[in-house]
Amino acid sequence: MHSSGYRKLANQPFVTYGLLGITVLVYLLETLAGGSTDTMVLLQFGARYNLLIEAGQWWRLITPIFVHIGLMHIVVNGVTLYYLGMLTERIFGHWRFFVVYLLSGITGNLASAVFNSTGLAAGASTSLFGLMGAFLMLYDTFRDDPQITALAKQFILLAGLNLVMDLFMSGVDIWGHIGGFVGGFLIATVLGVPRFTSSRVRQVIAAAVLVVASGAMVWAAFGAF
C-alpha cells in the first residue's frame, strides 16, 4: 500500500506544481506590495538589474525567474509552465527537469544582462525557453524515434515562432529567451534523460561550452562580482 502510494507520488509532476505555486505566490505578493508593474516592487522582489548585481546581489540572476510584470505576463508564462513543465518533467524526471529549468533561467538572465545591460528584466520565459531547448536535445539525440522527434519538432517550432514574434514586440527581452534556449540545450545534453545519456564526448563538449560561455557573459556584463 505504502509503496504503491510512493510510486503514484513519484509519477506526479510535483516539481512543476511547486514551481508554479511559487510563481503565483510571488505574483500575489507583488500585487499586495503595490503592483507588479511598479519598478520599486519589481526590484524589491528580485528583478534583474545589473547595477544591483554588481553591488553583490548575485541572486538576481535566479529570482527574476519567479517575478512577473503584469497580469498577462503571469498568465501566459503560468499556463506555459503548467503544460510544458508537466511534459518535460515526465520525460526528464524530477531532478533533471528542475536543474534544466533553474540553470537555463540563469543563462537566460546572463544573456539579458549582457545585451540588455541598462534594463530591468523579470519573468519565467528564460526558463521556459530552456525547456524548449531541452527538446532540441531530444530531437538531436533520438532522431530514429518518430514519436520523440515529432514532439520535439513542435516545441522547437514554438520556440522559433516566439523568437520571431519577439522581434516585432516592444519590451520583450529576446536575448534572455535566446540565452535560455541555448542553455537548456546544453544543460539537457550534459544531464541526458533517465536510462539514456549522451556520449561522453558530447557531454564534455556541452559542459565546457556552457561553463566558458557563462563565464564570458559574467565577465562581459559585470567584469567581476
Side-chain angles (χ1 to χ4, degrees):
M1 183 69 172
H2 289 295
S3 61
S4 176
Y6 288 137
R7 281 197 301 271
K8 185 176 181 181
L9 176 62
N11 290 330
Q12 294 297 313
F14 55 82
V15 177
T16 297
Y17 296 153
L19 292 170
L20 183 58
I22 293 171
T23 301
V24 172
L25 176 61
V26 170
Y27 179 78
L28 293 176
L29 292 175
E30 287 179 64
T31 303
L32 292 174
S36 63
T37 57
D38 184 281
T39 300
M40 295 309 297
V41 171
L42 293 170
L43 289 173
Q44 178 185 353
F45 278 84
R48 182 198 59 74
Y49 189 60
N50 281 17
L51 290 178
L52 293 178
I53 297 175
E54 290 173 5
Q57 297 181 16
W58 54 267
W59 59 84
R60 290 183 183 274
L61 293 172
I62 302 173
T63 50
I65 300 169
F66 303 97
V67 179
H68 286 82
I69 307 172
L71 180 60
M72 186 58 66
H73 197 201
I74 180 68
V75 169
V76 171
N77 282 355
V79 171
T80 304
L81 171 56
Y82 179 76
Y83 288 106
L84 183 55
M86 286 196 299
L87 183 58
T88 311
E89 186 171 355
R90 186 176 300 117
I91 294 173
F92 282 86
H94 307 303
W95 73 266
R96 288 180 179 86
F97 163 70
F98 179 74
V99 171
V100 171
Y101 189 85
L102 188 66
L103 293 188
S104 60
I106 294 173
T107 61
N109 284 321
L110 281 173
S112 173
V114 173
F115 296 102
N116 184 24
S117 59
T118 61
L120 179 149
S125 298
T126 51
S127 292
L128 296 175
F129 270 85
L131 299 184
M132 297 178 199
F135 277 93
L136 177 60
M137 184 281 288
L138 290 176
Y139 176 78
D140 186 52
T141 303
F142 297 100
R143 293 187 181 186
D144 295 329
D145 189 315
Q147 289 185 318
I148 292 180
T149 54
L151 183 64
K153 283 180 180 179
Q154 293 180 22
F155 289 109
I156 295 169
L157 178 61
L158 177 64
L161 290 174
N162 273 274
L163 290 175
V164 170
M165 288 191 294
D166 288 349
L167 296 173
F168 301 97
M169 297 176 64
S170 61
V172 176
D173 190 356
I174 187 172
W175 289 108
H177 294 174
I178 293 173
F181 184 84
V182 175
F185 171 76
L186 294 172
I187 296 159
T189 300
V190 173
L191 296 178
V193 294
R195 295 179 296 279
F196 182 89
T197 56
S198 302
S199 70
R200 184 64 63 184
V201 172
R202 288 168 63 94
Q203 286 181 303
V204 170
I205 292 174
V209 172
L210 180 65
V211 171
V212 171
S214 297
M217 288 190 292
V218 169
W219 184 261
F222 313 114
F225 278 100

